[in-house]
């Protein structure tokens, strides 16, 4: 009897994972086949081997006439090796990219199944919870543009599940696994990882204070093991971040402000899985995220995205489960953090305190992207919905299955790209093949002396070309020779950044003197000048 039950449970688990994989991979592969999205770093697709070779150094001669970067080191694992392997296997860039998107999404859903199985929940409710979390609208602000920031989102349920297993099984195995997960997902964005880290920390605190099932001494021993191992596995990117902060420009001062981040992070938007300021922005031609207009204008989509948290709160109120207080608290804490200083002109007392902290210190400014705490909210909503479905299943099996199916349907409806096939917007893609004239230019420049760099004019906030959007300029990914141009965020030294901005400003305003280019090029140690006539300049300036 026990063996038969185990086989049924295993078969159900396999089917659940297959269902998650189907929904995770197929919509991405069906979205803009043949086109490569301008995701994360274009050099992952142009030449991942070159990116990996450069990522082992904190000095990058290809940015801002030479600068100290910390983010490139994060591509040493896992994105860099993944794309390098796909290239060696001859997988087309667009297919490799969609498989990456699907794998991150599948990892998030499988993580919820792992968490609930750890909590001894492995029924229809657990599957429904996995779908709800995996299909959170939160992903739209990052998929096809900055998918690397989704790694902590995918890792969150795994971190909580491994924290629970670490408490149950004293020793180093599960803390080591938890540390390896943070090693895999934390190399490029500390803020997203720190917010995800609230999940396991809060779990350990609840086990001691609220549920009182673990002694403070035992929990402290577990937390110490986890802390030591996480610190060891994070040292590689923490060191890079520290060195960049000491020797590089204060990049935080030139990127989004606390006021900009707070523009859209209302409690309602956060509960919907949204609230990221970037999701609502526009350039000169279109929305940054093309799907955003649907979420702002379609009433049915507003209802669908609000229905899930409403049902989750109802499930919390009417079901009895020892861990429900934790997930309610996870939602509450996630909302408070994600809302941050909204509304900026008159925030709450907590928001006012954070506003003062964020605008008054470098550490605070680094934490300004508070909507990256939305995964805490999304996971709390998903798990509470799953537990509600499980409660119905225990009382009336058919009703529980029907409600579970309904929850999954609402989750799918709440993320239109799953069924509309437009995960990759028209403003964020390019053909698989780079135009031949760019390949010819890169080959010609690379054949010349590498004692000088290449100056590209005019500059652009992001590199959007007539033939497609790459976000990053493509020349550094096509040649080994150093290149310099004006981009949105200044890098390098203050002097070189100011010089590039001053030069490019004159081109943008139509007041440049061509005779001055050679003199400035010599100051930048540039031996060749490339004039980019194929920029989609009206998108930015």
């Amino acid at each position: 009897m026990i063996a038969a039950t185990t086989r049924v449970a295993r078969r159900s688990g396999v089917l659940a994972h297959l269902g998650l994989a189907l929904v995770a991979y197929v919509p991405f592969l069906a979205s803009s086949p043949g086109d490569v999205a301008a995701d994360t770093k274009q050099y992952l697709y142009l030449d991942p081997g070159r990116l990996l070779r450069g990522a082992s150094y904190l000095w990058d001669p290809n940015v801002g006439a030479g600068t100290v970067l910390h983010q490139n080191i994060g591509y040493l694992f896992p994105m860099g090796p993944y794309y390098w392997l796909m290239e060696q296997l001859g997988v087309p860039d667009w297919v490799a990219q969609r498989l990456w998107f699907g794998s991150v999404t599948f990892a998030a859903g499988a993580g919820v199944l792992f968490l609930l199985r750890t909590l001894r929940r492995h029924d229809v409710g657990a599957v429904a919870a996995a779908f709800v979390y995996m299909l959170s609208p939160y992903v739209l602000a990052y998929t096809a543009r900055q998918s690397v920031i989704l790694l902590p989102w995918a890792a969150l349920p795994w971190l909580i599940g491994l924290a629970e297993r670490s408490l149950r099984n004293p020793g180093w195995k599960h803390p080591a696994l938890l540390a390896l997960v943070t090693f895999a997902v934390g190399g490029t964005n500390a803020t997203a990882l720190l917010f995800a880290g609230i999940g396991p920390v809060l779990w350990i605190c609840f086990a001691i204070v609220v549920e009182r099932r673990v002694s403070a001494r035992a929990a402290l021993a577990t937390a110490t093991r986890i802390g030591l191992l996480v610190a060891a596995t994070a040292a590689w990117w923490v060191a890079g971040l520290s060195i960049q902060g000491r020797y590089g420009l204060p990049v935080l001062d030139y990127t989004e402000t606390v006021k900009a981040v707070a523009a859209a992070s209302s409690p309602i938007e956060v509960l919907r899985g949204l609230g990221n300021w970037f999701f609502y922005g526009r350039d000169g031609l279109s929305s940054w995220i093309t799907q955003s207009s649907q979420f702002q204008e379609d009433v049915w989509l507003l209802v669908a995205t609000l229905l899930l948290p409403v049902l989750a709160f109802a499930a919390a109120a009417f079901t009895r489960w020892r861990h429900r207080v934790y997930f309610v608290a996870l939602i509450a804490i996630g909302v408070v953090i994600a809302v941050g200083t909204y509304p900026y002109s008159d925030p709450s007392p907590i928001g006012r305190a954070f506003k003062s902290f964020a605008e008054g210190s470098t550490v605070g400014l680094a934490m300004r992207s508070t909507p990256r705490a939305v995964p805490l909210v999304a996971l709390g909503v998903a798990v509470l919905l799953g537990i509600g479905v499980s409660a119905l299943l225990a009382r009336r099996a058919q009703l529980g299955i029907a409600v579970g199916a309904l929850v999954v349907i609402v989750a799918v409806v709440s993320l239109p790209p799953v069924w509309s096939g437009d995960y990759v917007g028209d403003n964020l893609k390019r053909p698989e093949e780079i135009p031949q004239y760019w390949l010819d230019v890169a080959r010609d420049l690379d054949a010349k002396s590498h004692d000088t760099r290449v100056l590209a004019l005019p500059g652009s906030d992001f590199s959007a070309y007539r033939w497609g959007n790459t976000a990053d300029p493509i020349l550094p990914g096509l040649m080994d020779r150093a290149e310099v141009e004006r981009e949105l965020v200044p890098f390098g030294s203050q002097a070189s950044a100011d010089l590039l901005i001053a030069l490019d400003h004159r081109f943008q305003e139509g007041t440049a003197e061509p005779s001055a280019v050679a003199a400035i090029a010599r100051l930048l140690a540039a031996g060749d000048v490339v004039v980019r006539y194929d920029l989609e300049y009206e998108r930015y300036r």
Side-chain angles (χ1 to χ4, degrees):
M1 181 68 178
I2 296 176
T5 303
T6 302
R7 284 196 297 272
V8 170
R10 287 178 178 174
R11 190 176 298 114
S12 300
V14 171
L15 291 175
H17 282 87
L18 285 175
L20 290 175
L22 185 68
V23 177
Y25 287 99
V26 172
F28 283 117
L29 290 168
S31 180
S32 302
D35 289 326
V36 178
D39 175 53
T40 305
K41 276 290 181 187
Q42 197 63 204
Y43 314 130
L44 291 165
Y45 320 110
L46 296 174
D47 192 340
R50 180 184 284 114
L51 178 67
L52 283 173
R53 290 193 299 272
S56 59
Y57 299 91
L58 291 177
W59 174 257
D60 190 336
N62 288 319
V63 177
T67 192
V68 178
L69 292 175
H70 82 275
Q71 282 191 324
N72 278 8
I73 197 173
Y75 299 114
L76 288 174
F77 189 79
M79 282 193 87
Y82 167 79
Y83 279 103
W84 178 85
L85 178 61
M86 291 293 105
E87 182 181 66
Q88 301 308 305
L89 294 175
V91 178
D93 291 338
W94 80 270
V95 174
Q97 187 181 70
R98 302 307 194 276
L99 293 177
W100 167 262
F101 294 160
S103 297
V104 174
T105 303
F106 175 74
V112 175
L113 291 181
F114 171 79
L115 170 60
L116 290 176
R117 187 168 64 249
T118 299
L119 302 180
R120 297 179 173 84
R121 296 280 181 168
H122 40 74
D123 53 16
V124 172
V127 177
F131 274 103
V132 171
Y133 185 67
M134 187 179 79
L135 299 177
S136 170
Y138 172 78
V139 303
L140 291 178
Y142 302 104
T143 300
R145 185 180 282 271
Q146 292 177 313
S147 68
V148 70
I149 297 181
L150 289 176
L151 292 179
W153 161 75
L156 175 59
W158 294 95
L159 295 176
I160 298 173
L162 288 169
E164 167 61 15
R165 294 191 180 204
S166 297
L167 291 174
R168 288 184 194 170
N169 306 288
W172 291 91
K173 176 183 175 181
H174 291 102
L177 291 173
L178 191 154
L180 288 175
V181 172
T182 63
F183 171 78
V185 305
T188 56
N189 192 273
T191 303
L193 179 63
L194 287 173
F195 287 148
I198 291 173
V201 170
L202 185 66
W203 183 267
I204 293 174
C205 292
F206 258 70
I208 302 169
V209 179
V210 178
E211 299 177 352
R212 296 183 180 180
R213 57 189 177 85
V214 180
S215 69
R217 182 176 180 178
L220 180 60
T222 297
T224 300
R225 285 190 286 269
I226 292 174
L228 289 173
L229 293 171
V230 168
T233 55
W236 63 297
W237 60 264
V238 171
L241 185 62
S242 174
I243 292 172
Q244 190 275 333
R246 181 178 302 177
Y247 296 105
L249 282 176
V251 177
L252 295 174
D253 294 341
Y254 303 111
T255 50
E256 64 269 19
T257 63
V258 176
K259 182 177 182 179
V261 171
S265 57
S266 69
I268 293 296
E269 290 297 273
V270 168
L271 284 171
R272 295 174 70 197
L274 302 171
N276 188 316
W277 68 278
F278 198 85
F279 184 75
Y280 308 88
R282 293 183 58 86
D283 55 40
L285 297 179
S286 65
S287 299
W288 290 335
I289 309 297
T290 55
Q291 302 92 343
S292 64
S293 59
Q294 283 183 282
F295 285 84
Q296 298 175 71
E297 298 169 4
D298 293 351
V299 175
W300 65 267
L301 192 52
L302 173 65
V303 172
T305 50
L306 284 177
L307 181 61
L308 293 176
V310 169
L311 291 176
F313 293 143
F318 294 106
T319 58
R320 297 176 62 85
W321 186 48
R322 59 188 285 185
H323 302 304
R324 65 174 177 166
V325 177
Y326 167 82
F327 289 99
V328 171
L330 196 66
I331 294 174
I333 291 172
V335 168
V336 170
I337 295 174
V339 167
T341 61
Y342 178 91
Y344 183 82
S345 59
D346 186 25
S348 66
I350 295 177
R352 195 174 299 116
F354 178 76
K355 180 179 177 180
S356 177
F357 171 61
E359 296 183 333
S361 68
T362 301
V363 174
L365 189 59
M367 300 296 292
R368 70 199 182 286
S369 299
T370 54
R372 289 176 187 168
V374 167
L376 301 175
V377 181
L379 182 61
V381 167
V383 171
L384 289 175
L385 280 169
I387 295 308
V389 170
S390 297
L392 287 175
L393 193 68
R395 296 179 183 179
R396 297 180 59 185
Q398 291 184 342
L399 179 62
I401 293 173
V403 172
L406 178 62
V407 167
V408 173
I409 291 171
V410 173
V412 172
V413 169
S414 298
L415 194 64
V418 173
W419 41 270
S420 63
D422 63 346
Y423 263 117
V424 181
D426 291 338
N427 64 322
L428 286 176
K429 62 186 181 183
R430 64 162 174 87
E432 171 85 13
E433 299 298 330
I434 298 294
Q436 185 61 41
Y437 63 84
W438 271 110
L439 301 178
D440 294 340
V441 166
R443 183 172 58 251
D444 180 70
L445 292 171
D446 221 4
K448 296 183 178 181
S449 172
H450 287 212
D451 293 337
T452 62
R453 57 172 54 93
V454 176
L455 171 63
L457 295 172
S460 181
D461 289 358
F462 300 98
S463 291
Y465 301 91
R466 297 291 177 194
W467 45 268
N469 193 336
T470 62
D472 299 302
I474 61 169
L475 263 183
L478 300 176
M479 65 179 186
D480 291 322
R481 193 172 164 194
E483 186 253 20
V484 62
E485 62 184 85
R486 197 277 304 172
E487 298 182 73
L488 177 65
V489 179
F491 287 98
S493 68
Q494 189 71 59
S496 63
D498 286 345
L499 183 61
L500 275 173
I501 292 170
L503 172 63
D504 192 62
H505 180 74
R506 284 160 175 75
F507 279 99
Q508 303 293 345
E509 297 298 318
T511 61
E513 297 181 11
S515 60
V517 173
I520 295 176
R522 283 192 291 271
L523 285 175
L524 292 167
D528 292 273
V529 177
V530 171
V531 183
R532 305 191 297 175
Y533 281 106
D534 59 350
L535 286 175
E536 194 177 32
Y537 61 84
E538 62 271 28
R539 185 170 291 279
Y540 299 111
R541 298 193 181 188

